[in-house]
Amino acid sequence: SSAAACFCTNCATPLDVALQLWRSQGGFRLWRGVQTVFTGSIPAHAAYFTTYEGLKPVFSAWLKSLRVLPTLPDGLGAGGGSDSSQAMGAGAAVAVGTMAHDMIMTPMDVCKQRMQLSSSTSTVYDCACSIMKNEGPRAFYVSYPTTLLMNLPYALIMGTSNEALRQLLSPGGEPYSVAYLAAGAGSGAAAAALTNPLDVVKTRLQTQHLAAPAAGAPGAGASLSRVAAVGAADPPRGGASSGVSGCVGRGPGAAPVVCPRRDITYRGLVHAAQSIWRQEGYRGFLRGVSARMLVHSPSVAICWTTYETVKRALERVGMS
């Protein structure tokens, strides 16, 4: 994500982009903005799991009192006779935890993106102060509603299916590490697949201003690659875009090609979804679903297995 790329005739591999960045600005360019992840991820995940642990029993008890959800057969879940209110309560708690997590991470993501797209070497603190001075506090949260719109459905599906799979894989007893891994992998894959249409729409909205160079443009053709427009694509002061992105040829000494912005295609979320359906049908919403599942499945498995393992270890030594 540390590259501002434009769409050219032929797409480069991630390795091509990494090598181009390495040659032009050194290896540390690939890690610009990583300090924002370390700064924000610890408090964000602390808020996420604290909210989850506090609200899961509350939501589960409330849903159970409504008596509208079916009861699972005996033998599923710890103690048997567990009902689906526990799974739904877990999903709701994960969703609220996601809101707390994104409340912390959204400003850090803004700083990370600004640092990645800039050629300066400012610190996170300098970047945050600059944004606050020039754009005000609203700039840190302008994307928060959109972030929640994309993340909440994923959180609900992942949290609910993760808890349900744990109950299924650990009948009548405490879940074990393999069950945590399997439940996390399954829930991550399911949530990624079911929310892929939202990700497709979001990606189209974010990249619709990028256009490929004309076929007769200098350097166009087989030698072109999709690479980072580092420096050349930096927006001018004040936040407005310069309107161009740079494309660099594969071969040494290749002349840069200007990729002009094209007219905005989609007017908003609903219009983008309607256009994709009209032009590509349901297949348009499935683009990239396999890759997304391959990313989210191990990610959720590792995250939740690590959390549950550490939690159980702390409980055993009396720290919970």
Side-chain angles (χ1 to χ4, degrees):
S1 64
S2 186
C6 71
F7 290 98
C8 293
T9 304
N10 293 322
C11 293
T13 65
L15 180 60
D16 293 327
V17 178
L19 290 175
Q20 181 63 34
L21 285 170
W22 188 287
R23 296 192 194 102
S24 62
Q25 296 195 17
F28 286 109
R29 179 63 179 85
L30 298 173
W31 299 99
R32 182 173 296 166
V34 70
Q35 57 266 48
T36 64
V37 177
F38 290 121
T39 304
S41 62
I42 295 176
H45 279 81
Y48 177 86
F49 286 113
T50 301
T51 303
Y52 166 77
E53 286 293 339
L55 292 181
K56 177 184 173 182
V58 175
F59 285 143
S60 298
W62 176 68
L63 290 170
K64 189 173 184 178
S65 67
L66 296 179
R67 300 182 182 276
V68 295
L69 297 175
T71 299
L72 299 177
D74 289 344
L76 290 182
S82 178
D83 57 65
S84 54
S85 61
Q86 186 175 355
M88 295 295 294
V94 169
V96 179
T98 297
M99 296 175 66
H101 173 277
D102 291 345
M103 179 70 73
I104 298 173
M105 283 304 298
T106 297
M108 304 308 297
D109 282 338
V110 171
C111 292
K112 182 189 71 173
Q113 291 162 1
R114 300 293 180 90
M115 294 175 69
Q116 288 176 343
L117 295 177
S118 173
S119 57
S120 67
T121 57
S122 61
T123 64
V124 179
Y125 178 77
D126 292 335
C127 180
C129 289
S130 176
I131 295 173
M132 178 67 75
K133 178 181 178 180
N134 296 323
E135 304 173 53
R138 181 179 180 274
F140 290 106
Y141 287 100
V142 67
S143 63
Y144 184 63
T146 304
T147 300
L148 290 182
L149 180 64
M150 299 297 169
N151 289 347
L152 286 181
Y154 177 91
L156 282 168
I157 296 170
M158 187 275 292
T160 302
S161 57
N162 188 34
E163 186 66 27
L165 285 172
R166 285 187 201 175
Q167 295 180 11
L168 182 65
L169 294 172
S170 302
E174 185 70 22
Y176 47 95
S177 296
V178 176
Y180 287 135
L181 281 170
S187 60
L194 292 173
T195 59
N196 193 72
L198 286 174
D199 193 62
V200 170
V201 173
K202 180 192 73 172
T203 302
R204 296 291 181 91
L205 287 170
Q206 291 177 336
T207 61
Q208 62 177 317
H209 63 282
L210 299 175
S223 64
L224 289 178
S225 60
R226 177 185 174 185
V227 296
V230 181
D234 287 343
R237 297 187 183 276
S241 172
S242 62
V244 297
S245 296
C247 288
V248 184
R250 288 182 186 271
V257 178
V258 174
C259 292
R261 289 179 177 272
R262 64 186 180 193
D263 294 337
I264 297 300
T265 305
Y266 309 117
R267 295 189 298 270
L269 187 72
V270 175
H271 181 250
Q274 292 173 339
S275 299
I276 294 171
W277 176 264
R278 184 170 56 253
Q279 296 169 9
E280 305 174 51
Y282 74 92
R283 294 182 183 275
F285 294 105
L286 298 179
R287 291 183 180 274
V289 64
S290 299
R292 194 163 190 262
M293 292 172 66
L294 288 174
V295 170
H296 284 269
S297 181
S299 175
V300 174
I302 293 171
C303 176
W304 282 88
T305 301
T306 302
Y307 168 70
E308 294 291 351
T309 301
V310 173
K311 175 185 171 184
R312 298 290 181 263
L314 294 176
E315 288 175 345
R316 283 195 292 270
V317 298
M319 294 184 62
S320 62

